[in-house]
Amino acid sequence: MGRFESMSIVLAVTETGSLSAAARRQKIPLATVSRKISELEADLRTKLFNRSTRALVPTEAGLSYAAAAKRILADVAEAERAASGEYATPRGELSVTTLVALGRLCLQPILAEFLVAFPEVDVQLNLQDRTLNLLDEHIDVALRVGDLADSNLIAVRVGEIHRLACASPAYLKSRGTPKTPDDLCAHDCISYPPMQSPTAWRFKREQTDYEIPVHSRFVASNLESACDAARAGIGITVVFSYLAAEAINSRELVPLLQEFQPPPQPVSFVYSPNRFMPAKLRVFLDFAVPRLRARLADLPKGAASPKPRT
């Protein structure tokens, strides 16, 4: 166990680039990381890292050792999962990640049903509005939005989400309904900066992208706050369809300018390839994919989806 721990520490230091980051990842004291590295170098009679005040750089021997350690630790983990029956029987902890609002509104209800159906599987749901590295964070599966970058991950598409401009009926009654993006100059806007700038909003007309100057009366730090502000009648906002769906269905919000929105974004489950897929992951995908496809298919639509090529 001691040598496996040392391998894990060397791998963590190599991948994170620092002793302190490795200590945080391994959840052990910084002094322990430094001591384990020194003890291993003494035992191997070779230097694994070149140290300086600014950086910690693996030597050639360090890189070779870390690569071998990664393979060995992966084989050990796989052997332990096989011995525990994880590949044959759905059991153990399943780690899942996705965006905060998407997870809360669309995925968490499905996870509640899944936990009832598979009592020997526990779920750890990590909601973050950023992309997590599945290997570094020890995550089994992620639900991601947008076109996926080329990688070694396996993707299962489950649907798409649209971008929607919307406002409350009370606001539109008092200020009028914009027919084109140019009409926004006469309206109060609610912006979420990662999606739309507080000073200029992006739209798409046919194949042309363009920006319209806007005045943001309210700037939100998250999409849920922007949606709540629109429901309160503060102004017009732009959010994703999964966030506005309930309010649109209850007529608390009215979708606007749908023909001027960009094409929908794909939504996919992604996971790392493995020689054997753990039973807990296999049954989760079998359970969640059709249910999530049905949920996403019922969301409000923005711009028309591009027609598939024939």
Side-chain angles (χ1 to χ4, degrees):
M1 184 61 69
R3 183 50 56 93
F4 288 148
E5 182 185 18
S6 297
M7 286 182 175
S8 296
I9 290 173
V10 169
L11 184 59
V13 173
T14 302
E15 293 181 343
T16 63
S18 75
L19 296 176
S20 56
R24 290 192 297 271
R25 176 165 143 180
Q26 297 297 107
K27 299 179 180 179
I28 58 177
L30 175 60
T32 300
V33 173
S34 181
R35 177 173 57 80
K36 288 288 185 179
I37 293 293
S38 297
E39 289 176 352
L40 184 60
E41 288 180 327
D43 191 33
L44 298 175
R45 298 181 182 180
T46 189
K47 181 181 285 189
L48 299 175
F49 298 95
N50 288 318
R51 298 165 176 80
S52 71
T53 56
R54 294 186 177 181
L56 192 70
V57 181
T59 63
E60 185 175 345
L63 288 172
S64 177
Y65 187 90
K70 188 170 187 175
R71 293 193 300 270
I72 292 169
L73 291 171
D75 286 343
V76 170
E78 190 169 292
E80 290 176 344
R81 289 194 295 267
S84 68
E86 183 176 316
Y87 290 117
T89 304
R91 66 163 61 101
E93 184 176 272
L94 181 75
S95 179
V96 186
T97 185
T98 191
L99 302 175
V100 176
L102 180 62
R104 186 176 63 83
L105 295 172
C106 295
L107 186 57
Q108 195 161 324
I110 295 173
L111 288 173
E113 297 177 36
F114 175 77
L115 288 170
V116 173
F118 296 93
E120 292 191 60
V121 179
D122 300 325
V123 172
Q124 181 180 11
L125 180 60
N126 191 334
L127 298 180
Q128 299 279 347
D129 284 333
R130 62 185 180 89
T131 300
L132 301 181
N133 185 290
L134 302 191
L135 292 177
D136 289 348
E137 303 290 340
H138 306 289
I139 293 170
D140 295 299
V141 61
L143 182 64
R144 291 185 176 166
V145 176
D147 294 321
L148 303 174
D150 290 340
S151 70
N152 293 323
L153 299 178
I154 297 174
V156 180
R157 182 162 173 164
V158 293
E160 60 189 24
I161 59 172
H162 294 253
R163 199 181 76 171
L164 297 174
C166 52
S168 71
Y171 174 87
L172 297 175
K173 182 177 180 180
S174 66
R175 299 291 296 273
T177 300
K179 303 301 182 183
T180 71
D182 295 306
D183 295 338
L184 292 176
C185 64
H187 285 272
D188 296 333
C189 293
I190 302 163
S191 294
Y192 169 60
M195 177 175 283
Q196 294 281 42
S197 163
T199 58
W201 284 6
R202 293 171 286 107
F203 292 93
K204 192 178 188 73
R205 178 179 288 147
E206 295 179 348
Q207 299 302 315
T208 302
D209 295 308
Y210 62 101
E211 288 188 340
I212 296 295
V214 298
H215 172 60
S216 293
R217 291 292 313 281
F218 188 86
V219 178
S221 63
N222 60 71
L223 279 176
E224 290 177 285
S225 293
C227 192
D228 289 343
R231 292 168 67 181
I234 292 175
I236 298 171
T237 194
V238 175
V239 295
F240 286 125
S241 53
Y242 62 82
L243 196 58
E246 183 178 342
I248 289 174
N249 290 336
S250 64
R251 299 185 179 180
E252 295 177 273
L253 288 176
V254 177
L256 308 166
L257 307 173
Q258 290 169 278
E259 66 270 32
F260 297 98
Q261 297 299 338
Q265 296 189 57
V267 181
S268 307
F269 278 121
V270 298
Y271 58 94
S272 301
N274 201 332
R275 282 183 290 174
F276 305 101
M277 179 185 287
K280 62 182 180 182
L281 177 56
R282 184 180 66 251
V283 296
F284 171 74
L285 292 173
D286 290 343
F287 187 93
V289 166
R291 288 167 174 79
L292 190 56
R293 281 178 175 157
R295 280 180 174 268
L296 296 181
D298 287 339
L299 293 179
K301 304 296 188 290
S305 304
K307 294 181 180 180
R309 296 179 180 178
T310 56

